[in-house]
Amino acid sequence: MKSQPTTTLENQAKAHLEDEFPDEHATAVRVVWWDEGGHLREVVRAAADQIGVRFSEAERFPLELRRTAVKEPESPHVWYIPEAKTIKDSEEGMIERDWFRDIRETGGEIELTIEQLTAELYEVNPWDIYDIERGTESDRETAAKVIKNQFGSGGIPRYGDLIGEIITKGEGQILEHLLEGGWPEIDRDDETIARVQESLKDRHVAPADSAETPEEIEDVVWKWAVARWLVAEGMDVDAFPEGYGKVGSTLGDINPLKRIVDSRQSKRLAERYLSESYWGDVIEASDDVWELVACPVDGALDAALWDAWLESLEEGRYTECIERANERQQALGVYPDDIPWTTLWEQAEQVAELELRFAAWEERSQSFDPFDQYADQEDGTWKIDYGVLELEITGEPEQERLLDSHPATESLPEIRAELLETRYMDYLEEMSEAVVSSFSTGSPLAGKDAAYEWWTDNEQDLATGETVALFLIDALRLDLARELANRLREDYSIAEETRVSTLPSETKFGMAALTPGRAHRFRVKFRNGKLSVERGGQRLDNKGNRVKVLEREGWDVPDDRDSGWQHHQIAYYDKDIDDIGENELDNPESHFTSYIDELYDLITEKLENENWDRIYVVTDHGFVLLPKGTTMESISSYDGDGEVKYRRIAGDDVEDAGTGVRVTGQTPGTEYLKTSVRLLAHPRQYNSKSGLTDARYYHGGILPQECMLNFIRIEKE
């Protein structure tokens, strides 16, 4: 056998033709080439062309070549017949169609199939290439196509590689095929099994010799490949049975599974190599399982990593847990992002980050400004609120069927419930206590920039004559605004400022504060039994009045994102976030973050494709989103003539005594108030006389989540 020939199929066919044709091919000599199956057509045509002879094919019946011969020029010719010379007849048995004796005597006759011609190159038997007696016509067709593809790829294939491709029906080498697709495409007869075992032995998969069935061979190959990857990441080779961990002498064979996984980005491969346990006992005996974190195969490893991660979490090593969860996500990056294992470790990182932030909150000083504590750019507790949002979005990855045996199915739901329900609710309640205390002992809003002053503070920049768009986004909570700003910062110049919303933190007052006009002329007053808002005597209670003020000052107000943006000053209103919350849509957290994606796309579209110079993103108020299933407490202590809303009471008769925080025009930071307003701070409380019942989403009170805002200025670099 010759494992690596130096001759191609065309050259071998050329050699046969040269043996049959006289020297120089000067006369009208003909050579008949019988090719059972007709797979050598192009090979024989090319060989004939190389030696300068003509080529004719019997397209319907062999003898038609005699009829067409009278029209052929007087020159050497190959007559190609894509059939067998000897055929089987149901009555007479085997019939030899010896119809070209005269041609054979004056020229020549060749009987060669693609299997026979290929076998000559490798000096083996034709049935070693493909056994036509055992195979079907369809499989023979496939084998022939494989042979032609292998020789047509720019080189001469090694014998083992060619046979491997034929056995897998063109689906790759045997080892790689088994690692990626398993056995299904391969025949299951004893001879094929033996040939597969021989091929695997050549690739150093020694344990395959002891396997008897295709299923046993699959299992051996998978375990062998996983063991090699574990060894490559640091596992002791001696921890594995003989033949599994030791690498062969061929460098390319060191880690074939890694090559496949790295190149495929396949969810199916993730399911095969992460949902099954291959080396549980070996991994369990490892001194430090985190040394193997970069290995993205073996469900037993992922389970062991989780157990070790959970132990660190319970010991309070949160920073380490964040880093390790991130490391595991990086390792699983060889698979698509949507596999449950990646989501699991993404959530593990979120859990550890929340644990770290809750721990910092619980260790806070006894005296602090809750509004500053919440809004601080670097260390603010707004990151707790956004962390809770993210954790909700990643859902319940442990519920995936593929993770049924993963230890996270027991531990993660409890951890998540404690963070999202107990710890987050405790945080909100403690924050509310701090808010009430801060008003009792001082003036927490004094000196803070207010939303109603924004227009006055930016008056000069808004009047430069540049193309400016003002995005007035309803309920853009501070954490969502910060997330938007962080994403935009990668490509644009970003300036941020923190402001206190107009109180009460409701749309009517917040949006009125963002209309043109002098800050000192802004008023919120009690009028005809209702709280009303104006600037310079202009009522701003409804959107229509606010739009009129903007238009009077030279701003166009389009109805949607796509039309009406021709003017150089645009004020665009959007209330999607408030609609999502107030309409109680399922999974509002996902809707909120999807909206930020859409807003990001809209801003980049306006800046890049529509050439706006500058965009401002401002908002009227934030919101609170309570844990699912929170039980609310109704407050019914007020019997006065004021106006009662879900999170506040307004009126001239509102007194100091009562629940929450009372603010007036004498309260530093709310000088615009011309009446008294009592704002609820406790997250589970609402005013029963508001006419509303329990609500998971709300605003209008005095929690920092409701009234601390982040405004953004965006320009091209």
Side-chain angles (χ1 to χ4, degrees), residues 579-709:
D579 286 344
I580 291 166
E582 292 183 350
N583 292 330
E584 299 182 352
L585 299 183
D586 290 338
N587 303 314
E589 298 88 353
S590 295
H591 290 292
F592 293 151
T593 54
S594 294
Y595 175 79
I596 296 303
D597 293 340
E598 294 172 10
L599 187 55
Y600 170 84
D601 291 340
L602 178 62
I603 291 170
T604 55
E605 169 73 15
K606 298 300 181 185
L607 289 171
E608 297 298 330
N609 298 332
E610 299 183 20
N611 296 316
W612 288 83
D613 295 316
R614 193 182 326 129
I615 289 176
Y616 293 93
V617 178
V618 297
T619 188
D620 51 355
H621 56 74
F623 61 84
V624 172
L625 186 66
L626 294 175
K628 298 173 184 175
T630 301
T631 301
M632 299 295 287
E633 173 191 352
S634 63
I635 304 297
S636 57
S637 59
Y638 178 70
D639 293 319
D641 297 326
E643 182 184 31
V644 179
K645 294 291 184 180
Y646 194 74
R647 291 281 287 172
R648 56 87 172 172
I649 301 169
D652 296 336
D653 61 351
V654 174
E655 300 177 350
D656 281 340
T659 304
V661 171
R662 176 175 174 265
V663 291
T664 69
Q666 284 71 51
T667 304
T670 60
E671 290 83 1
Y672 52 85
L673 286 173
K674 300 306 172 185
T675 188
S676 297
V677 181
R678 177 167 294 283
L679 303 163
L680 291 178
H682 195 286
R684 291 191 296 107
Q685 291 180 340
Y686 70 98
N687 292 307
S688 60
K689 292 185 179 181
S690 65
L692 300 174
T693 55
D694 294 6
R696 187 181 172 211
Y697 168 96
Y698 61 73
H699 53 83
I702 192 62
L703 276 174
Q705 290 85 348
E706 299 172 273
C707 65
M708 294 303 292
L709 312 176

Side-chain angles (χ1 to χ4, degrees), residues 466-499:
E466 297 176 296
T467 53
V468 176
L470 177 60
F471 284 45
L472 298 139
I473 309 300
D474 198 344
L476 184 63
R477 196 169 70 178
L478 182 141
D479 57 322
L480 296 176
R482 294 265 168 87
E483 174 64 16
L484 174 64
N486 288 337
R487 290 185 58 183
L488 290 166
R489 188 173 283 110
E490 295 178 8
D491 299 304
Y492 303 103
S493 173
I494 300 296
E496 297 177 79
E497 53 180 325
T498 303
R499 290 183 179 263

Side-chain angles (χ1 to χ4, degrees), residues 250-287:
T250 305
L251 184 62
D253 282 347
I254 291 177
N255 202 345
L257 179 56
K258 186 178 189 302
R259 293 198 306 272
I260 293 171
V261 171
D262 285 349
S263 63
R264 295 294 189 269
Q265 278 282 315
S266 167
K267 186 173 184 178
R268 180 168 53 84
L269 289 174
E271 293 176 3
R272 168 169 296 158
Y273 292 106
L274 283 171
S275 63
E276 298 293 333
S277 174
Y278 292 95
W279 295 106
D281 292 343
V282 172
I283 291 168
E284 187 177 348
S286 173
D287 293 335

